Amino acid sequence: MRNFLGSLMAAALLASGALAQPYIMMPDSTNNRIVTFDPFDGSVMNPNLFALAGGTPIHAMVVGNEIWVSEQGGDRVSRWSMTGTPLGQIGTAGLDNIRGMGLVAGTVYVTNAGTANGAPGNAVVMFDTNGNPMGSFTTTGLAPSPFGILAHQGGILVSSSSGNNDIHKFNLAGGSIGAFHNSTSLNFAEQMNYAADGNVLVAGFSSNNVVRLDVNTGALIESFAASGARGVIQLGNGNIMWTNGSGAHVFNVTTRTSSLVYSGGGRYLELVPEPMSLFGLGAGLALLARRRRKA
């Protein structure tokens, strides 16, 4: 009986995906593929998880049990299984020159800058998690040429490649709350992510840096040099991974130096957590229990 229970739990954990390893994923827009990195130290795990369809991929993120990839040149969000089977697309109708995305409170927010294909210009376009359109809201004059989305204190932050605001805050329906950050220390803000201390990391493409901003006030705390920075995420060991047109780099917070860890077209970085599923665990247990009763 003891051996049976041990086998039961092990098989259930396998069924739930609990033994799968978390990873950071990044679209390589030069080689058109998904690359994965170790979330603790930033080392390359898989340089080619699966091939992408082109279209200048910017941001890959998990939506349900799919990976959605924004394509800046393709004017669409391509949809993939977790192992790279193509599942269709959102767009091109209603999207043009899209960049970063965010899944916040069950809504997928996609940054948009163009007007081709019936797209709304400088705006954030919204979809449900099945890909159905939910409207859009303009960012003109607030976050012109939007580039990234970050959930923030019940609303969202939208980064911008041009003024007036480097980062502007909106409520979830698109109403303006106000400027989060606007200074000469940050120029052409791309990806935003939370640091381990709860503050906000931002990749500055034209300011050639990564900045850390106070999560409540948006005030600058510190920065480090990062030429043409696009993506950013903090690693489990405390160092900071950032990307640019040359690839992915790791900034050592002790030595204050960066090292290239992957060569290619670096874009946004997204953590894919350990896929523990209580539903999967329960299903695995039930399945094995039925088999045991029949034996």
Side-chain angles (χ1 to χ4, degrees):
M1 183 65 176
R2 184 180 302 168
N3 289 338
F4 164 69
L5 289 175
S7 299
L8 187 68
M9 289 301 297
L13 288 171
L14 285 169
S16 71
L19 300 183
Q21 188 174 357
Y23 56 87
I24 292 169
M25 66 177 170
M26 179 198 77
D28 177 343
S29 60
T30 298
N31 298 294
N32 291 314
R33 60 194 182 197
I34 293 290
V35 183
T36 64
F37 303 91
D38 188 293
F40 181 76
D41 62 12
S43 58
V44 176
M45 293 177 64
N46 189 337
N48 188 8
L49 181 65
F50 60 84
L52 295 173
T56 315
I58 301 294
H59 190 182
M61 70 178 191
V62 174
V63 178
N65 60 354
E66 299 179 8
I67 294 175
W68 290 18
V69 181
S70 61
E71 297 179 10
Q72 185 175 25
D75 300 332
R76 66 178 186 171
V77 177
S78 56
R79 299 170 66 170
W80 308 81
S81 75
M82 298 299 292
T83 54
T85 301
L87 301 175
Q89 67 182 57
I90 301 167
T92 57
L95 296 174
D96 180 35
N97 192 5
I98 63 173
R99 291 85 174 255
M101 306 181 289
L103 174 59
V104 184
T107 298
V108 178
Y109 295 84
V110 181
T111 56
N112 183 94
T115 57
N117 310 315
N122 291 320
V124 173
V125 184
M126 298 174 286
F127 300 91
D128 67 21
T129 53
N130 293 315
N132 299 309
M134 297 176 62
S136 65
F137 60 87
T138 184
T139 63
T140 299
L142 303 172
S145 197
F147 251 87
I149 301 287
L150 185 68
H152 181 263
Q153 299 178 354
I156 58 172
L157 299 179
V158 179
S159 62
S160 175
S161 66
S162 58
N164 296 337
N165 298 156
D166 299 311
I167 304 171
H168 197 88
K169 185 171 181 179
F170 297 85
N171 63 32
L172 296 182
S176 171
I177 295 176
F180 178 73
H181 181 87
N182 190 42
S183 78
T184 57
S185 299
L186 179 63
N187 189 10
F188 201 139
E190 292 208 24
Q191 188 177 21
M192 302 168 287
N193 240 320
Y194 283 104
D197 64 3
N199 290 307
V200 179
L201 297 171
V202 188
F205 179 79
S206 294
S207 49
N208 296 305
N209 61 358
V210 168
V211 302
R212 186 191 306 264
L213 305 178
D214 184 279
V215 69
N216 295 310
T217 67
L220 178 68
I221 297 173
E222 65 169 344
S223 67
F224 64 84
S227 179
R230 292 169 168 172
V232 64
I233 196 169
Q234 188 153 25
L235 300 170
N237 63 6
N239 293 332
I240 297 172
M241 174 171 270
W242 61 277
T243 68
N244 64 6
S246 297
H249 312 254
V250 171
F251 175 75
N252 186 303
V253 296
T254 301
T255 64
R256 309 293 293 180
T257 58
S258 291
S259 301
L260 182 70
V261 296
Y262 173 82
S263 295
R267 295 292 180 170
Y268 287 14
L269 298 160
E270 187 81 11
L271 176 65
V272 180
E274 188 175 7
M276 178 62 183
S277 165
L278 292 177
F279 173 80
L281 177 60
L285 288 169
L287 175 63
L288 286 171
R290 285 197 300 271
R291 289 179 177 174
R292 178 66 176 176
R293 285 195 298 269
K294 291 178 180 178

